[in-house]
Amino acid sequence: MDETLDTLGRAVAGALPPSIKGYAIAHHELTLRVEARDIISVMRFLRDDPRCLFWNIVDVTAVDWPGRDPRFDVVYHLLSPKHNVRVRVKIETGETTPVASIIDVFRGADWFEREAYDLYGVVFTGHPDMRRLLTDYGFDGHPLRKDFPLTGFVEVRYDDELKRVVYAPVRLAQEFRNFDFLSPWEGTDYVLPGDEKAGKIGGGGQGS
């Protein structure tokens, strides 16, 4: 399998030398690193070239590297039913740099690209309907970015008096606490409320 993938990787890199930055094989999977500006032509080649015939788009997602510039990887997964081979295509983009939509090459990329925009904030130019897909209208931020707060910014609830859904700033139901995950058989290094009497009763015999 790895020989087949290596042959395919060399073939694609040789056919598109300015567009392919490199390729790698890991865990019996082929990954192509592609120049972002050439993503449409590369995708069309992978779909149409007889050595590839990647007709099925499986997924489009992103990976957030907040300490890196450019910050995001946009990752495409394709399947060739003809050759029974999969390929992963990666491009890099920044927070404010849009990526060309591949919807004219793969119509199935429609909701995948909307999801990547919704959850990571990656914008795809040329997409006919670049709206959020999973979060609500007016949602603040992009939930799968690594700097997005775990509690979010707002909470949604149904107000029985107003008879509608309302948005409000997040309020924690209780203060943060330090929980003790020690086994009860090991004991703790502090005295639990009520246990301070046990030593007096057992040690001094005052309970008799």
Side-chain angles (χ1 to χ4, degrees), residues 144-198:
L144 288 189
R145 288 190 176 188
K146 291 180 180 177
D147 54 5
F148 188 81
L150 295 178
T151 56
F153 297 107
V154 297
E155 58 186 3
V156 183
R157 62 179 175 85
Y158 180 78
D159 190 299
D160 197 48
E161 294 182 0
L162 298 175
K163 303 299 182 185
R164 64 180 177 86
V165 173
V166 296
Y167 294 82
V170 169
R171 291 183 306 165
L172 298 178
Q174 67 179 29
E175 295 181 357
F176 286 110
R177 297 166 56 192
N178 292 323
F179 291 95
D180 175 22
F181 296 102
L182 275 176
S183 164
W185 308 112
E186 297 175 11
T188 62
D189 56 359
Y190 55 86
V191 179
L192 295 172
D195 283 358
E196 67 275 1
K197 302 175 184 178

Side-chain angles (χ1 to χ4, degrees), residues 70-146:
R71 176 172 180 169
F72 298 106
D73 285 337
V74 181
V75 186
Y76 306 82
H77 293 92
L78 306 176
L79 168 67
S80 172
K82 179 73 173 179
H83 300 303
N84 191 27
V85 174
R86 297 174 184 264
V87 67
R88 179 186 299 110
V89 178
K90 286 186 178 182
I91 63 174
E92 296 180 356
T93 189
E95 292 185 66
T96 59
T97 306
V99 174
S101 172
I102 62 166
I103 199 169
D104 289 336
V105 184
F106 293 103
R107 290 295 301 174
D110 186 346
W111 281 17
F112 293 144
E113 291 182 345
R114 284 181 60 187
E115 181 183 39
Y117 161 67
D118 189 0
L119 301 183
Y120 291 95
V122 176
V123 177
F124 295 86
T125 59
H127 192 287
D129 189 21
M130 189 88 286
R131 291 179 296 143
R132 290 182 180 271
L133 181 67
L134 299 176
T135 59
D136 202 357
Y137 301 108
F139 187 88
D140 186 11
H142 304 280
L144 288 189
R145 288 190 176 188
K146 291 180 180 177

Side-chain angles (χ1 to χ4, degrees), residues 48-71:
D48 298 337
D49 188 273
R51 294 166 292 183
C52 302
L53 300 180
F54 290 98
W55 299 330
N56 292 8
I57 184 160
V58 178
D59 189 27
V60 180
T61 187
V63 181
D64 184 13
W65 304 96
R68 192 190 75 180
D69 185 25
R71 176 172 180 169

